[in-house]
Amino acid sequence: MEKSLHRFRISKAPTTTNRGSDVGQDSEVPTSQSGTSPSNGTIDVPTVDSDVTRRRILAQPACERCRRMKRKCSKTRPACTLCLNSGLQCSFSEASVPPIRQARQLQARVEWLSRYIDEKILSGGSSVECLETGADISMETAKVPTPTHENDTARNEDAVSLEEQTSSMVHPPQARLLQRMPVTERMPDKSAALIFAEAYFRHIHRSYPFMDQAKVMADMKGLGIFQPQCLEKIPTKLYILMAIGCTTLQRIGQVPDSTVSKFNIAYPNIIRQCLLVDDIDSVQTCLLLGLYSLFEPSTIWPWKITGVLTRQVIRMGLSRQAFVHEDLGIRQVEMRHRLFWSVWTLDRIVSATLGLPFGIHDDNINVPLPSITLEEYSSSEASRHTLTLQINRHVIALRRLEEQILQRIHFTDSYKSTSLSLTDKKIVIQELRSKIENWYTHGCLVTPQERDAVPFHNTIPWLNFRYQNLLLLLYSPSHFNSSITDSHLKELQSCAQKYIQLSGVLFEHRHMPMNYVTMCRFVALTPILLFCIV
């Protein structure tokens, strides 16, 4: 037994008031860091001279292995005696803080953060105590940036507060409106401006992919938007894009109505500036203005903005196919084609909603459909670009169907309609019904399952809703459908009933934007219901 490892039974220290007495061999004391003696392998048990050192050692937690095996740990650092003798790794967890001390630390931290937010972030005498728990400070309290005139630069920028600059909306001139702004200060990744821009590209961009997402996000990050001296450098195009993204977040309940009302768009100034210059940037700005007018129809009628936009597109020759040359690369050609189809889509949706003639009525349009570029295909986000263009092509096919139904069912004069026999009308309706079925089948095949609640153009409820809307447009009373049979009336009643049910489903899932288009379609549904009842 000379070189064997002896086990000592260490008893608890006697509870005596004499803390300064010597520690015997049976007392609980830590071992030396060396752990074992090289001569006989026994444990050296040193004595503790100081009561303070003894209390500090006893307060330290045991290592993870000793606690798991429920063994007495020597608590020596960096390795205890048992782990050292066994040749295993020894690990210690941090000492637990008492609950009272934890509460005091957290309370002090909360008070410090509250003072910092009140002094550095909030303004106008508001306090963080007025905000609800969990509220996004960047969206709730950040002032919405507003472009200003060049003449306003003569004002003392240091004396003008952020609230004063955001209260009035005066748009910058064309030179500042369309140029790319220099980098002044990097914007935070979770700022409200970037959140609004990301929401735009997650939803609206899928139907209207005419903006360069990489360039827009780079411009947004390069603008020091939350500094008063940098407010005047915001291009109007980015400002409207942020406003549209804000309405998207409002639909899903992530942004309150008060935040949306902070955006102030000066429609006449923007339209006037866009008409002064015939270039791609001015068309993009006017198109963004037309999209935002769907969510704010109290200012200018969306059909008027679409009329100005379509005339500008025709004047610039965007309704014809572009080719690559010295001044126009492959990327620029593709963006011109996407811009035309975006304007064409908006023109069709506004005309179909109001039942008015189209702004672009040209049978010789030879612009190719949007397609993926080599840069997008070779990028790390190739799947996202492919999905965006698939959805965009599906939306274009939907608008083409609406155009065909309007032209053949609703926009025909009474003479041509009465000259057709009942059999000829049935053939026309069956032909259009077959195209609607093909569109719906193709949409079911290309519709992926996504967890993102912002976009809805690739969801099954939206697809069913649009399918019933096409059938309503096909079977609605008109000069063409003047003589309605019983089967025709039953089909119309079934479409109207399913349309209302699907509207409730979309509204429940927050996929029903309460904009100008939605309201006009509900108004148009009212006489159809009265016709079915009477």
Side-chain angles (χ1 to χ4, degrees), residues 173-449:
Q174 186 70 13
R176 179 172 295 172
L177 174 68
L178 303 176
Q179 68 179 357
R180 183 174 181 176
M181 294 298 109
V183 176
T184 56
E185 181 178 347
R186 306 302 296 179
M187 187 184 300
D189 293 336
K190 295 300 181 180
S191 62
L194 290 181
I195 293 175
F196 295 156
E198 290 174 357
Y200 171 87
F201 286 105
R202 286 161 61 189
H203 176 55
I204 302 297
H205 184 69
R206 294 188 172 188
S207 298
Y208 308 92
F210 64 96
M211 295 292 292
D212 190 346
Q213 182 175 359
K215 180 179 179 298
V216 169
M217 298 306 294
D219 290 341
M220 295 293 294
K221 292 181 180 180
L223 293 173
I225 285 185
F226 294 111
Q227 294 185 3
Q229 62 270 21
C230 301
L231 284 175
E232 61 175 7
K233 297 182 179 180
I234 305 174
T236 305
K237 183 167 62 176
L238 299 184
Y239 184 78
I240 304 175
L241 187 144
M242 290 167 49
I244 298 175
C246 185
T247 59
T248 301
L249 296 179
Q250 179 195 21
R251 170 177 56 83
I252 61 176
Q254 294 185 3
V255 167
D257 297 339
S258 58
T259 303
V260 181
S261 62
K262 293 180 181 179
F263 286 93
N264 189 9
I265 307 297
Y267 289 86
N269 295 343
I270 298 178
I271 294 176
R272 182 173 59 255
Q273 296 294 338
C274 290
L275 293 178
L276 291 177
V277 180
D278 291 339
D279 58 4
I280 298 298
D281 286 337
S282 61
V283 177
Q284 290 178 348
T285 305
C286 191
L287 178 54
L288 289 172
L289 184 65
L291 292 174
Y292 185 73
S293 66
L294 299 177
F295 300 92
E296 193 182 18
S298 59
T299 53
I300 296 181
W301 207 14
W303 193 63
K304 293 182 179 179
I305 300 178
T306 307
V308 174
L309 180 62
T310 52
R311 272 37 175 202
Q312 191 176 14
V313 167
I314 296 174
R315 184 173 66 252
M316 293 179 57
L318 295 179
S319 58
R320 295 294 181 267
Q321 182 179 3
F323 297 95
V324 180
H325 53 83
E326 295 181 357
D327 300 331
L328 202 63
I330 299 177
R331 176 69 176 175
Q332 288 74 17
V333 169
E334 176 60 29
M335 295 307 295
R336 285 175 63 94
H337 294 166
R338 294 183 185 182
L339 179 60
F340 167 76
W341 284 114
S342 299
V343 175
W344 184 89
T345 301
L346 179 62
D347 176 45
R348 264 44 184 179
I349 190 175
V350 173
S351 298
T353 301
L354 301 176
L356 295 175
F358 305 115
I360 301 177
H361 188 73
D362 189 356
D363 297 333
N364 299 321
I365 296 175
N366 60 350
V367 179
L369 291 176
S371 59
I372 191 170
T373 62
L374 182 60
E375 297 176 357
E376 295 172 342
Y377 182 77
S378 59
S379 64
S380 59
E381 298 182 349
S383 58
R384 181 178 60 83
H385 293 301
T386 303
L387 177 61
T388 299
L389 295 179
Q390 286 179 349
I391 296 175
N392 178 243
R393 287 194 171 197
H394 191 60
V395 172
I396 292 175
L398 169 65
R399 305 309 172 195
R400 280 180 168 175
L401 267 177
E402 291 179 345
E403 178 185 10
Q404 294 177 11
I405 295 174
L406 288 175
Q407 288 180 347
R408 302 185 66 176
I409 303 297
H410 297 277
F411 289 169
T412 56
D413 54 15
S414 58
Y415 177 76
K416 292 183 179 179
S417 299
T418 55
S419 62
L420 295 176
S421 63
L422 185 60
T423 304
D424 296 335
K425 292 181 180 180
K426 287 183 178 180
I427 293 175
V428 173
I429 292 179
Q430 290 177 359
E431 179 184 353
L432 294 174
R433 178 67 182 263
S434 177
K435 292 182 179 180
I436 294 174
E437 299 291 343
N438 292 335
W439 175 84
Y440 179 79
T441 304
H442 182 265
C444 293
L445 294 177
V446 301
T447 300
Q449 297 293 332

Side-chain angles (χ1 to χ4, degrees), residues 138-172:
S138 61
M139 291 185 181
E140 295 283 350
T141 62
K143 305 303 178 182
V144 177
T146 304
T148 57
H149 250 310
E150 272 187 341
N151 297 334
D152 294 341
T153 56
R155 300 173 58 187
N156 187 2
E157 295 179 340
D158 296 334
V160 180
S161 63
L162 183 60
E163 181 68 24
E164 293 176 353
Q165 294 193 23
T166 56
S167 59
S168 59
M169 172 64 183
V170 183
H171 287 272

Side-chain angles (χ1 to χ4, degrees), residues 67-86:
R67 283 196 294 177
R68 185 172 63 254
M69 298 177 62
K70 297 182 180 180
R71 302 291 298 275
K72 179 64 71 173
C73 182
S74 62
K75 304 179 182 180
T76 54
R77 303 293 180 99
C80 70
T81 304
L82 292 179
C83 294
L84 193 63
N85 293 336
S86 302

